[in-house]
Amino acid sequence: MLPADFPYFFCGLPFRAHQVGRKLNWLLAQRDIRQLIPGIYVDTRVPDTVQLRADALQLLVPADATVCGRAAAWLHGIDTTALGPDTFRPQWTFAERPSTEIHGLKVTTRAATAIELARHLPRPFALSAVDALLRSGMRAQDLEAAAARYFAPDSTSQAAQLLRLADGRAASPAESWLRLRLFDAGFPRPELQVPVEGHGRVYRLDLGYPDRPVDGRRLGLEYDSDQWHSSTRQQLRDETRRTELDALGWHIIQVRRPDLWGSYPALELAVGAFLCQHPRLPRRW
């Protein structure tokens, strides 16, 4: 890595691959630069900001075009994890779209972006993208008004269903995917960020059913990411927390990434066993 006082490559501004020539792979291997979007790179010490993203897109997007699709969501500040498993390529259009301006770039509004992503992204990423847009500041009434121009109130299309299911309280893409698993399995709609008071503190559950007790106990679900729940210390902390919640009458199902992806429905079977309900199977995604 470069010393802290070494000047930023290209003054910290995004640049194209050809500007460093054959040094590109070496700089990437040394982690001196990182890829922002395909073909555009920046010094690794430059923090990720909306301004930086706009500067990167301005190297590719024509001056009179409107940024749309996943690139628009990215420019609105959405993390790429919510937008799909692959690296997206910038999209733009010359057609008339509801738009706003961000750091000199014309971009579709949050609501218009949400509609487009709900219609075109794979099911789990469509929901996580719309959830993230709601969490980033998009008003629910703006989304509802935009959806009304595309879908009938009783529409059963994937996009219309996901827009009705969207909730800005989802704190991460994984929480969105977990909620979609429950919805697709036919379970009741869970509450998000459920507060549980006890032991002199307030616990916060990712998802739960506070109003559906079974034999005096309630069901909560928590997504444990590898980043924050893998070390021995973190796992001991999680186990202590679950024990405390158990004493307060909550049965907690711990969910990890393999529980969300793949064909084996261990998650749905565990939830169904507690709620005394047969899940709708097989999995849709």
Side-chain angles (χ1 to χ4, degrees):
M1 292 295 292
L2 296 167
D5 59 349
F6 197 91
Y8 286 176
F9 281 100
F10 295 94
C11 300
L13 296 175
F15 58 89
R16 294 173 180 267
H18 70 81
Q19 292 177 266
V20 292
R22 288 179 294 179
K23 286 186 176 181
L24 178 66
N25 290 334
W26 183 82
L27 290 170
L28 286 170
Q30 293 296 310
R31 298 184 180 178
D32 291 335
I33 62 173
R34 69 179 188 273
Q35 180 176 263
L36 286 171
I37 49 180
I40 306 297
Y41 303 85
V42 73
D43 192 299
T44 53
R45 294 166 293 174
V46 177
D48 184 21
T49 64
V50 172
Q51 177 70 69
L52 178 68
R53 296 179 182 191
D55 290 342
L57 287 170
Q58 284 175 337
L59 295 176
L60 298 175
V61 178
D64 54 346
T66 300
V67 180
C68 60
R70 290 193 288 175
W74 188 62
L75 191 54
H76 281 297
I78 306 307
D79 188 80
T80 54
T81 305
L83 302 176
D86 57 328
T87 302
F88 71 89
R89 293 190 174 277
Q91 299 167 268
W92 59 85
T93 179
F94 294 100
E96 197 64 34
R97 299 277 185 88
S99 62
T100 186
E101 186 174 302
I102 298 178
H103 295 301
L105 273 176
K106 194 176 178 183
V107 56
T108 52
T109 63
R110 281 185 170 91
T113 303
I115 298 295
E116 181 178 1
L117 297 181
R119 295 175 66 192
H120 298 298
L121 284 185
R123 188 174 179 80
F125 296 105
L127 181 61
S128 59
V130 178
D131 280 354
L133 285 164
L134 282 167
R135 188 173 179 82
S136 74
M138 177 175 63
R139 299 189 308 169
Q141 53 265 46
D142 291 340
L143 180 60
E144 292 169 3
R149 294 194 289 269
Y150 283 88
F151 309 107
D154 58 349
S155 173
T156 58
S157 69
Q158 169 183 292
Q161 286 183 345
L162 294 179
L163 291 172
R164 290 194 290 267
L165 185 61
D167 195 315
R169 293 176 295 170
S172 70
E175 291 182 23
S176 301
W177 305 330
L178 173 55
R179 195 167 84 259
L180 185 59
R181 280 288 183 214
L182 299 177
F183 174 79
D184 285 348
F187 295 125
R189 188 166 181 165
E191 284 295 317
L192 282 72
Q193 310 306 326
V194 180
V196 179
E197 296 185 11
H199 305 300
R201 59 174 290 191
V202 178
Y203 302 85
R204 190 75 59 178
L205 306 181
D206 295 339
L207 301 173
Y209 294 97
D211 300 323
R212 292 178 175 270
V214 178
D215 294 332
R217 296 181 61 77
R218 291 168 171 79
L219 177 64
L221 298 99
E222 296 206 301
Y223 178 76
D224 291 349
S225 67
D226 293 339
Q227 181 178 4
W228 302 110
H229 301 271
S230 294
S231 71
T232 300
R233 182 177 179 179
Q234 290 167 340
Q235 291 176 358
L236 288 173
R237 180 198 61 198
D238 292 339
E239 186 61 35
T240 299
R241 188 172 186 271
R242 284 192 290 271
T243 300
E244 293 170 351
L245 285 165
D246 183 77
L248 295 172
W250 282 85
H251 174 69
I252 304 300
I253 294 180
Q254 175 190 16
V255 182
R256 303 300 291 260
R257 186 174 181 85
D259 299 318
L260 291 179
W261 300 98
S263 59
Y264 186 65
L267 169 64
E268 292 88 339
L269 294 173
V271 173
F274 185 92
L275 296 179
C276 302
Q277 179 179 337
H278 290 291
R280 185 167 52 223
L281 296 172
R283 287 181 161 184
R284 297 180 61 178
W285 48 277

